[in-house]
């Protein structure tokens, strides 16, 4: 039973159970070794309970024999039937010998009634509220409930415990000079590392603290708190500003406000057992868009939350692929470019991704091709359609070892052809999504430095950034599309957002700036003095208006029962908004002109 308890304690939602309840549930599991080829249950058969994989591989198929999912350690199956009529909705067959636990149906049903965490997890949050203006969209600074409680590292364990008791808190920040955060101590640490181990309470608290804990800045979003806590299974997150410990976010703080849909969608994606379930989750993104826009959330908040879902889908697909294919022959990194890389996805997005393999890995190994195909097909099924330009890891060209990627970048920089400029523009927006992040970090910094030093390449990048022009017509009008399905409309992506993104990328290159997000690049360019303060403020304001109207138009399309797109009719805007949108495009055109003439940049 101890072995079972240790195992389920690491699996959600069992990790949310009180310790005595966890022990009781562990004792309820039946444990059995299964051989490859054995059938756990067949479609339509009565279910004995919920199954939880400890070490086996299991393939789940539907009533027609179609593959539903491939499961591995930590995955559950059988819950669909248990939540319905008690009959199996699928067939489960062991593909790799190992151990499978079974929780009796009556115990499972009892947990659904007694544990909110269990109910949320297995019922997938169906029927949950669609609100979009609560935790996920608040700043971390707005979630802080009290002044931070901290102690020096030499404080005794006993005194630290008294400080927590007297302040009524469950955690303590351990700080050094200038309030620098050194570590974190929680009530659980007091129990597990002091009482359970018989440690001397006169010892310094530094002996039991968690060193260099995960932290967030005050400007981070509440969604960052939720996602970090869910992914790392932690209940306390220190808040650090400029190296100083300024507060603590706990699960208690989060209960003060209602969780919102982006977090529910992230959770449902993480729990999805197959691509079909993920597609059901991502189908709710347009509703999330509508609720966020209706709540008047800033465009950078809306696009960040929507992109977080795409990131979670990608990571879940990578995990499912490895469960199916086995561990990779060598480390890899899955990176996104395009709108996902820049964290500005909206209600309509295709996929742009690459694979960076560790040096020495064989790019012709079928494993990586199969991995790329599984993830890319899954993304497409989940609504992130295949890239029209084939900028995907399924293309062998974009599935190469790190040293080859270094050669790619060097070649594009040394020989800036039109194709090289286009590819470099895409690749400068890369962001690590899953795998070994170190494969990109050093490469990206090295490439940025190399590119910034090459004045010819920078000049070509500037020229490339001027290709997409704002849709300005004569006599204070707009240059709308003249024919076809979108006649009378303007493309708010290609002629609105992309010109600003191209400018921001050049500013980042000139200033050797690390941010990838467009708005963050503009802010960093102003801070670094790459562009004038007035120019930066005007361009940021123009970008804010363009993105806001783009999202509002997409939300209106969804409310009208249509698919969101990037085409807006200026004639549908009130005179005030139409005038300001044109002014925004004028600002973008002016900044393009200044960049092309070498003006408006301070370095």
């Amino acid at each position: 039973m101890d072995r079972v308890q240790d195992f389920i304690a690491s699996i959600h939602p069992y990790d949310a159970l009180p310790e005595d309840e966890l022990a009781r549930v562990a004792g309820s599991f039946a444990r059995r070794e299964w051989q490859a080829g054995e059938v756990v249950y067949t479609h339509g058969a009565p279910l004995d309970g919920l199954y939880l994989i400890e070490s086996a591989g299991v393939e789940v198929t539907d009533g027609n024999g179609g593959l539903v999912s491939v499961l591995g350690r930590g995955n559950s199956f059988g819950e669909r039937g248990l939540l319905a009529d008690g009959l199996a909705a699928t067939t489960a067959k062991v593909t790799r010998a190992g151990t499978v636990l079974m929780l009796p149906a009556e115990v499972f049903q009892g947990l659904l009634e007694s544990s909110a965490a269990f109910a949320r997890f297995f019922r997938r949050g169906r029927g949950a509220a669609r609100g979009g203006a609560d935790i996920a969209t608040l700043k971390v600074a707005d979630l802080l409930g009290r002044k931070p409680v901290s102690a020096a590292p030499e404080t005794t364990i006993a005194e630290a415990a008294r400080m927590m008791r007297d302040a009524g808190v469950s955690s303590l920040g351990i700080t050094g000079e200038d309030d620098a955060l050194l570590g974190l101590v929680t009530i659980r640490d007091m129990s597990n590392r002091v009482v359970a181990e018989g440690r001397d309470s006169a010892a310094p608290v530094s002996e039991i603290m968690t060193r260099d804990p995960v932290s967030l800045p005050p400007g981070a979003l509440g969604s960052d708190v939720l996602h970090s806590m869910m992914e790392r299974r932690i209940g306390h997150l220190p808040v650090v500003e400029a190296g100083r410990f300024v507060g603590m976010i706990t699960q208690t703080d989060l209960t003060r406000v209602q969780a919102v849909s982006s977090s529910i969608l992230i959770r449902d994606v993480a729990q999805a057992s197959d691509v079909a379930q993920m597609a059901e989750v991502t189908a709710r993104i347009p509703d999330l868009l509508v609720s966020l826009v209706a709540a008047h959330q800033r465009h950078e908040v809306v696009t960040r939350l929507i992109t977080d879902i795409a990131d979670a889908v990608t990571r879940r697909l990578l995990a499912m692929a490895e469960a199916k294919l086995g561990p990779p022959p060598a480390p890899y990194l899955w990176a996104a470019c395009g709108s996902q890389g820049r964290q500005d996805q909206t209600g309509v997005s295709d996929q742009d991704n690459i694979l960076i393999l560790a040096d020495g890995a064989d790019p012709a190994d079928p494993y990586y091709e199969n991995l790329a195909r599984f993830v890319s097909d899954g993304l497409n099924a989940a609504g992130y359609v295949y890239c029209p330009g084939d900028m995907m890891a399924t293309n062998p060209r974009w599935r190469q070892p790190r040293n080859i990627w270094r050669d790619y970048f060097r070649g594009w920089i040394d020989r800036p052809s039109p194709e090289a400029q286009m590819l470099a523009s895409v690749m400068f927006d890369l962001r690590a999504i899953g795998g070994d992040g170190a494969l990109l970090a050093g490469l990206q910094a090295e490439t940025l430095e190399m590119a910034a030093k090459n004045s010819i390449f920078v000049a070509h990048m500037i020229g490339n950034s001027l290709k997409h022009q704002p849709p300005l017509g004569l006599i204070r009008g707009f240059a709308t599309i003249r024919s076809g399905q979108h006649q009378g409309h303007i493309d708010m992506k290609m002629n609105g957002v992309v010109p600003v993104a191209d400018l921001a990328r050049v500013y980042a290159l000139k200033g050797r700036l690390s941010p990838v997000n467009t708005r963050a690049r503009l802010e960093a360019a102003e801070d670094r003095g790459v562009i004038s303060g007035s120019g930066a403020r005007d361009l940021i304001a123009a970008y804010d208006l363009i993105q806001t109207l783009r999202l509002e138009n997409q939300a209106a399309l969804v409310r009208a029962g249509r698919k969101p797109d990037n085409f807006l009719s200026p004639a549908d805007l009130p005179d005030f908004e139409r005038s300001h949108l044109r002014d925004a495009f004028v600002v973008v055109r002016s900044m393009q002109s200044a960049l092309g003439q070498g003006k408006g940049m301070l370095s």
Side-chain angles (χ1 to χ4, degrees), residues 331-361:
Y332 68 83
L333 171 72
W334 186 282
C337 40
S339 59
Q340 185 181 2
R342 295 190 301 272
Q343 294 181 300
D344 64 6
Q345 287 190 316
T346 64
V348 52
S349 296
D350 60 2
Q351 56 175 289
D352 300 278
N353 44 66
I354 68 166
L355 265 180
I356 302 177
L357 311 180
D359 287 339

Side-chain angles (χ1 to χ4, degrees), residues 88-154:
T90 56
T91 294
K93 181 180 179 180
V94 177
T95 57
R96 186 179 70 252
T99 306
V100 178
L101 308 178
M102 192 275 289
L103 186 67
E106 60 273 16
V107 179
F108 173 70
Q109 295 294 346
L111 286 169
L112 288 175
E113 298 299 323
S114 64
S115 170
F118 248 79
R120 285 193 302 269
F121 184 92
F122 286 105
R123 287 175 176 150
R124 309 286 182 196
R126 291 185 173 87
R130 296 189 323 176
D134 299 320
I135 290 176
T137 55
L138 291 174
K139 291 287 186 70
V140 164
D142 296 326
L143 292 170
L144 292 174
R146 61 167 71 214
K147 292 183 179 180
V149 182
S150 62
E154 62 269 20

Side-chain angles (χ1 to χ4, degrees), residues 142-444:
D142 296 326
L143 292 170
L144 292 174
R146 61 167 71 214
K147 292 183 179 180
V149 182
S150 62
E154 62 269 20
T155 304
T156 66
I157 293 172
E159 179 59 24
R162 284 191 289 271
M163 290 176 67
M164 284 193 279
R165 179 199 63 192
D166 295 342
V169 297
S170 59
S171 59
L172 199 63
I174 308 303
T175 57
E177 292 185 6
D178 298 324
D179 293 325
L181 182 66
L182 304 177
L184 169 69
V185 170
T186 68
I187 290 292
R188 178 172 290 186
D189 294 330
M190 291 291 181
S191 173
N192 294 343
R193 300 177 182 177
V194 181
V195 178
E197 296 179 10
R199 191 186 297 268
D200 184 1
S201 63
V205 72
S206 59
E207 291 186 3
I208 64 166
M209 72 180 183
T210 298
R211 297 179 181 275
D212 300 320
V214 175
S215 64
L216 290 173
L221 297 177
S223 63
D224 295 324
V225 177
L226 289 163
H227 300 165
S228 294
M229 286 185 172
M230 288 179 182
E231 188 167 351
R232 296 178 173 84
R233 296 174 182 171
I234 54 179
H236 301 80
L237 266 174
V239 181
V240 175
E241 183 176 29
R244 294 177 55 251
F245 173 56
V246 295
M248 185 79 72
I249 296 289
T250 70
Q251 289 180 342
T252 301
D253 296 314
L254 302 186
T255 61
R256 292 187 291 112
V257 287
Q258 180 185 6
V260 298
S261 292
S262 65
S263 300
I264 292 173
L265 266 61
I266 292 283
R267 183 198 64 201
D268 289 355
V269 165
Q271 297 170 3
S273 60
D274 53 49
V275 173
Q277 285 188 357
M278 275 192 287
E280 291 177 4
V281 177
T282 54
R284 288 144 55 191
I285 290 177
D287 289 338
L288 173 64
L289 171 66
V290 169
S291 67
L292 290 168
V293 171
H296 303 290
Q297 293 303 318
R298 302 184 309 277
H299 70 85
E300 67 269 28
V301 173
V302 178
T303 54
R304 168 64 183 276
L305 295 179
I306 291 176
T307 305
D308 282 351
I309 297 168
D311 292 353
V313 170
T314 305
R315 285 192 288 267
R316 182 73 184 106
L317 287 167
L318 287 168
M320 292 169 65
E322 289 195 20
K324 177 181 180 181
L325 302 172
Y332 68 83
L333 171 72
W334 186 282
C337 40
S339 59
Q340 185 181 2
R342 295 190 301 272
Q343 294 181 300
D344 64 6
Q345 287 190 316
T346 64
V348 52
S349 296
D350 60 2
Q351 56 175 289
D352 300 278
N353 44 66
I354 68 166
L355 265 180
I356 302 177
L357 311 180
D359 287 339
D362 180 6
D365 191 315
Y367 181 96
Y368 299 112
E369 179 182 358
N370 293 333
L371 175 83
R373 176 56 59 192
F374 183 95
V375 176
S376 184
D377 287 350
L379 287 169
N380 183 70
Y384 305 97
V385 298
Y386 299 122
C387 173
D390 202 21
M391 180 62 69
M392 298 181 294
T394 50
N395 184 336
R397 186 181 184 187
W398 311 132
R399 192 175 65 243
Q400 294 293 331
R402 190 173 185 272
N403 62 302
I404 299 298
W405 280 105
R406 182 183 287 108
D407 291 342
Y408 282 168
F409 280 114
R410 184 178 293 113
W412 295 333
I413 293 168
D414 292 343
R415 298 178 295 279
S417 66
E419 183 193 36
Q421 297 163 34
M422 182 273 292
L423 293 174
S425 295
V426 172
M427 296 305 172
F428 276 123
D429 295 349
L430 282 175
R431 186 169 58 88
I433 304 297
D436 185 355
L439 291 173
L440 176 62
L443 177 64
Q444 207 163 27

Side-chain angles (χ1 to χ4, degrees), residues 8 11-17 22 76 115-119 121-122 271:
I8 67 172
I11 305 295
H12 192 68
Y14 303 95
D15 61 351
L17 297 175
L22 182 69
S76 298
S115 170
F118 248 79
F121 184 92
F122 286 105
Q271 297 170 3

Side-chain angles (χ1 to χ4, degrees), residues 470-552:
L472 291 170
L474 299 175
I475 317 177
R476 294 198 60 78
F478 293 90
T480 60
I481 298 171
R482 295 184 177 180
S483 61
Q485 178 184 358
H486 301 296
Q487 182 178 0
H489 291 68
I490 54 179
D491 188 333
M492 293 291 283
K493 177 181 178 181
M494 297 308 298
N495 300 113
V497 171
V498 169
V500 183
D502 288 344
L503 287 170
R505 189 181 300 110
V506 172
Y507 299 150
L509 179 61
K510 290 280 290 183
R512 297 169 173 82
L513 307 173
S514 59
V516 175
N517 175 264
T518 296
R519 199 177 194 281
R521 278 173 165 168
L522 295 177
E523 292 174 340
E526 180 184 9
D527 291 342
R528 189 68 63 87
V530 177
I531 49 178
S532 67
S534 60
R537 288 190 292 274
D538 286 347
L539 188 54
I540 289 173
Y543 181 63
D544 287 347
L545 180 62
I546 292 167
Q547 276 284 52
T548 297
L549 291 179
R550 178 192 182 200
L551 290 171
E552 288 178 349

